[in-house]
Amino acid sequence: MKILVLNCGSSSIKYQLIDMQTENLIAEGIVEKIGEDIALFTYKSTRFTKKKREMVIDNHEQGLQLILEALIDPVTGVLSGLDEIDAVGHRLVHAGEHYSDAVVVTDDVIRVLQECVSLAPLHNPANLIGIEAVKVNMPNCPQCGVFDTAFHQTMPAMAYLYPLPLKFYTSHKIRRYGFHGTSHKYVSLKAADYLKRPVEELKMITCHLGNGASITAIKNGKSVDTSMGFTPLEGLMMGTRCGDIDPAIPIHLQQQLGFTVDEVNTILNKKSGMLGLSHISNDMREIEDEILIKNNPKAIMAMDVYCYRIKKYIGSYFAALNGLDVLVFTGGIGENMSMLREQVCREMEAIGIKLNLEENSKRIDGIQVLSAEDSKVIVLKIPTNEELMIALETESLLRQEK
Ligand code: AMP
């Protein structure tokens, strides 16, 4: 079985074609800047290394057509026909309180996506356009989807309710939803599999640290709390997002400092976090260089805040779970930045976390055990693979349908 995984953004389509028998990637790429003067198509496959093309692409339908043409190109393609694609698996963003599992895309799913546009005004419309583009280009191909919010639907009310007047929840659905669900689920299943223990018996904390970052408490395989909230702005400090701050600060910025709502939105989402505090970059590789090569005090301070906040979440989720078996680091930063993992896990023996510093400093592909032998908590680095998770869930849905 071959599954095409699509991640449709407002002006982009990312794709991966996966062979489910081997779980190997056959082809991948991205169409960017759809609707702009010049769009960019970057792609590669098992048959060739990266190619780049610039052209005009008016809409997602044309973007998808280009991807499909590349897949079946007689010289460079990897498929003899589109009928070799058994299903499309979409990365979908917001389903509100609907769906805790992967879904076959039906009229109901489309209605939910539409209903939740106000909760994800950038992402849900793009998801809808992507589904429509598949319908046009591959009318007979089954479509499935996994919502970013789905895995967190198991959170209890005490974790997802905000202490606001209750009507904001009951009438306006303002509550914690959580995001990165596919990644947290994938690494929690991988961890259980690697440790050869049933996920239903484990207490885990999974740290997805990439440009966006979130942390999840998982009990018996189910998300019981997560740091991102009503939007992905809450929680950990991120590349350019502030994460948790006093909710009175945006009010102060407007009332006392004269910023507009749009300006405050830009400050909190695009100018804060690592970039805002360090004045250097949102990219941790640059921060790391500034610390190691120049001993730059601003980079050191920003890194201290970043790590301290992760540490505090781990501590609070340890309490929420009443213990901890496994701590997982994943995402571009969590997988690659040993210095950060060391700083987060320093002086955590009180809650059973002790790193093997030598192992932590090694750069090894794949899953790695980072904890010391006498650590009560097993610390793992697990490369995330959201596309594979979506493909696996799509495959399992199709098998159930048959
Ligand atoms: P992601 O959103 O998961 O793709 O992660 C992207 C982020 O990971 C980048 O912006 C970098 O900050 C970080 N990153 C990637 N590779 C490294 C590395 N080798 N060392 C430190 N940070 C890294």
Side-chain angles (χ1 to χ4, degrees), residues 208-212 282-286 288 330-338 363 384 386:
H208 177 108
L209 310 174
N211 221 346
N282 62 323
D283 193 318
M284 280 295 198
R285 285 163 287 207
E286 288 181 47
E288 189 170 23
T330 193
I333 298 166
E335 289 165 32
N336 294 300
M337 202 170 179
S338 57
R363 246 175 207 288
T384 194
E386 290 166 88

Side-chain angles (χ1 to χ4, degrees), residues 237 273-274 277-278 287 297-307:
M237 170 176 159
M274 197 39 96
L277 261 191
S278 71
I287 301 292
K298 275 191 183 157
I300 294 170
M301 178 262 301
M303 184 72 173
D304 285 348
V305 177
Y306 190 96
C307 292

